[in-house]
Amino acid sequence: MTARTRRHVAVVGAGPAGLAAAAAALRAGARVTLVDAAERPGGQYHRMLPEQYRAARPERLHHGWAAFDRLRRHVLGHPRCAWWAESSVWSLERPGPGDETAPRVHVVRGPADGAGRERLVLDPDALVLAPGAHDRVLPFPGWDLPGVFTAGAAQALAKGERVVIGDRVVVAGAGPFLLPVAASLLEAGSTVLEVLEANPAATVLRGWGRRPWELASQAGKAGELAEYTALLARHRVPYRTGRAVIEARGDGRVEEVVTARLRADWSVVSGTERIVAVDAVCVGHGFTPQLELPLAAGCALREGFVQVDGDQRTTAPAVLAAGEITGIAGAPAARVEGLVAGWAAGGGDAAAPEARAARRRRDRARAFAARLAAAHPIGDGWPGWLRPETVVCRCEETTYGALCRAADAPASAAARAVKLGTRAGLGPCQARICGPSVAELLARRSPPPDLAAGGHRPATPHHRPVAQPIRLGELARPPKENL
Ligand SMILES: Cc1cc2nc3c(=O)[nH]c(=O)nc-3n(C[C@H](O)[C@H](O)[C@H](O)COP(=O)(O)OP(=O)(O)OC[C@H]3O[C@@H](n4cnc5c(N)ncnc54)[C@H](O)[C@@H]3O)c2cc1C
């Protein structure tokens, strides 16, 4: 069989999920095109340093580096794998009704800020989507000040550039991700004053503590957790539960934060406010899946994530999904979902022992995701932190007050009218940051739609037909097809 006549699998995303999917599809005998917007593989978890750094210890701040390094060399060096770095999938074109083929994949390739990027089109037999997530941050007064970073941005700078966001930093929000972020900041030279988990200890313990034997398969994550805890203890960094940063203040940039004790629903216990002097603050409230491509492909969602079957097949023909877009469960879960998806996409035998073992590991990893969600939920009371002048959409500087006024006025209450009237979500980030918060705030102010009377569910904030920026000049040029 020649390379051209083999089954062709396109994998979007070379993070833990996509890299594993590519490896499994290659093992199943397919040829693979692995596409990623970044210069180097690894995704968010194994964010590699730029080659020009010639780092003596690239593995610093990383877990599982040796296994990742072996996998990336195997996949990228494989004769049946085409590795497309700096290549963004900006659109997926669905086949017509009744057509069971995979969507056409539209790619723009070249440095994002460079001229002369080329347009390419892929027509694969199967498509694996593994674009990951971005971190979610809830708005609060002062969160738009310079010096306030999302936890993911702080982590990306520390891991991918060895740059620290400040000398005296408070890390706050919800979820275990705060711990590796605090660890990276400490290792890169910052003083971390405290780590604040907004959920009370009872919620965290109840979430993780139920049926502890089910977590036995996640020994790697438990080991990571133990390392972070030991590092925090060595640096005498307090980890406080039931407390949050509810305001950032400063003249031109953050100089202090107000922290406060929270009830289980995240409403503030008044009188518990404390002021902490900082030169940077790092906040993260979980992750938002990148759903533009799955939605463009026509994949159905379940509870905000891509719905998949036992083989990671989505509801769209010939489209599979793996990693954070199917549920937030961390890198090991993303990897094993990738193995299942890649094997199925490559035409591997579903009954093969390795496929069955991978599915069992994937199921256990999903149980971990359920724990994570139960232990670190987003409390309903966070809008109580906002003031009328608090900016909710940072790109368009839309305030909470403007949103409420638009939502309460009968003529402009529909979500689309609020968006057009206040411009919330219409700026450069196209609602990636504020979209989920705006949707939540609006849902609370309007009664649920009466579907029986012809009402419509509000559109998901992830619907973006152009998934990545593309210049008009690039659009005008004809693409290279059928690679
Ligand atoms: C900023 C950030 C930092 C994180 N750091 C850590 C950490 O240090 N430790 C930890 O345990 N977890 C971390 N996480 C969580 C982590 O993302 C996951 O556990 C894990 O990396 C998920 O793997 P994935 O393969 O699903 O996605 P990712 O690792 O996110 O990989 C997705 C890949 O898809 C590519 N991509 C996305 N859209 C497109 C497109 N349209 N075209 C082409 N390529 C595309 C991206 O460039 C990326 O390389 C971080 C998350 C974020 C958002």
Side-chain angles (χ1 to χ4, degrees):
M1 194 187 292
T2 67
R4 277 274 149 198
T5 55
R6 279 179 190 272
R7 190 173 167 76
H8 179 205
V9 176
V11 179
V12 182
L19 211 49
L26 289 167
R27 203 161 48 247
R31 85 180 161 95
V32 169
T33 306
L34 177 60
V35 183
D36 199 297
E39 246 178 277
R40 316 195 65 190
Q44 303 290 5
Y45 190 73
H46 289 299
R47 189 175 276 271
M48 295 177 73
L49 286 166
E51 212 144 4
Q52 303 86 305
Y53 279 37
R54 299 190 201 295
R57 289 176 56 213
E59 74 284 3
R60 257 196 78 212
L61 307 182
H62 286 270
H63 284 91
W65 179 266
F68 159 69
D69 202 37
R70 271 197 307 277
L71 183 64
R72 90 177 160 98
R73 286 175 197 280
H74 164 70
V75 170
L76 271 48
H78 198 289
R80 277 186 276 115
C81 180
W83 161 233
W84 291 12
E86 295 188 292
S87 302
S88 297
V89 175
W90 64 273
S91 171
L92 293 178
E93 193 180 329
R94 269 191 241 182
D99 186 338
E100 297 290 292
T101 55
R104 297 199 97 187
V105 183
H106 291 268
V107 183
V108 57
R109 184 152 90 168
D113 50 2
R117 294 194 302 178
E118 55 177 346
R119 261 184 75 198
L120 306 163
V121 171
L122 287 167
D123 280 310
D125 298 303
L127 172 64
V128 179
L129 295 176
H134 53 82
D135 51 345
R136 182 168 182 203
V137 57
L138 298 174
F140 54 87
W143 74 302
D144 49 332
L145 276 175
V148 180
F149 289 80
T150 68
Q155 180 74 333
L157 283 169
K159 262 188 170 179
E161 305 283 340
R162 299 287 192 266
V163 168
V164 290
I165 58 168
D167 292 329
R168 291 171 55 80
V169 187
V170 167
V171 176
F177 181 50
L178 302 179
L179 296 172
V181 175
S184 298
L185 288 170
L186 286 169
E187 300 233 24
S190 297
T191 299
V192 177
L193 301 172
E194 51 187 350
V195 178
L196 306 180
E197 160 67 49
N199 288 292
T203 307
V204 176
L205 292 175
R206 218 174 23 249
W208 287 116
R210 206 176 293 155
R211 297 194 296 278
W213 59 89
E214 284 181 3
L215 293 177
S217 61
Q218 301 293 320
K221 275 281 160 208
E224 254 184 64
L225 188 69
E227 263 179 55
Y228 299 140
T229 314
L231 187 75
L232 257 56
R234 220 169 37 248
H235 287 264
R236 297 181 190 285
V237 179
Y239 177 80
R240 300 187 213 281
T241 51
R243 217 171 168 87
V245 166
I246 57 161
E247 184 176 354
R249 298 175 183 161
D251 185 9
R253 63 165 293 122
V254 65
E255 290 163 2
E256 60 185 33
V257 291
V258 181
T259 74
R261 194 142 66 75
L262 303 183
R263 297 188 187 86
D265 70 349
W266 291 22
S267 56
V268 172
V269 179
S270 59
T272 61
E273 293 86 352
R274 267 205 312 248
I275 293 173
V276 184
V278 295
D279 60 7
V281 54
C282 172
V283 269
H285 302 99
F287 295 95
T288 308
Q290 305 223 64
L291 296 177
E292 297 86 347
L293 296 178
L295 287 172
C299 306
L301 304 184
R302 184 191 290 150
E303 293 172 11
F305 294 95
V306 179
Q307 180 183 329
V308 286
D309 69 6
D311 285 325
Q312 301 293 132
R313 291 181 201 280
T314 70
T315 54
V319 180
L320 299 93
E324 306 282 63
I325 57 168
T326 69
I328 305 297
R335 216 172 286 132
V336 72
E337 284 191 7
L339 286 180
V340 175
W343 182 257
D349 175 8
E354 62 184 295
R356 293 220 294 261
R359 285 198 297 272
R360 276 196 300 276
R361 280 168 57 206
R362 186 269 325 275
D363 293 344
R364 288 196 294 266
R366 280 196 183 149
F368 180 80
R371 297 308 191 76
L372 192 66
H376 303 277
I378 303 273
D380 280 346
W382 66 266
W385 311 349
L386 308 181
R387 301 194 192 114
E389 68 279 13
T390 305
V391 166
V392 174
C393 165
R394 291 191 301 194
C395 300
E396 294 290 327
E397 299 185 349
T398 308
T399 62
Y400 180 49
L403 263 187
C404 295
R405 280 193 299 281
D408 294 347
S412 63
R416 194 175 144 71
V418 170
K419 194 163 141 179
L420 293 174
T422 64
R423 297 205 47 79
L426 294 180
C429 94
Q430 288 289 291
R432 282 180 177 83
I433 303 295
C434 70
S437 302
V438 169
E440 213 173 306
L441 290 171
L442 293 181
R444 285 158 190 248
R445 295 191 85 85
S446 355
D450 184 353
L451 301 178
H456 295 288
R457 281 201 180 84
T460 146
H462 305 284
H463 185 70
R464 294 178 199 97
V466 176
Q468 297 280 325
I470 178 161
R471 299 182 184 96
L472 286 175
E474 290 163 349
L475 257 183
R477 256 174 260 142
K480 286 190 194 160
E481 299 206 13
N482 270 323
L483 296 150

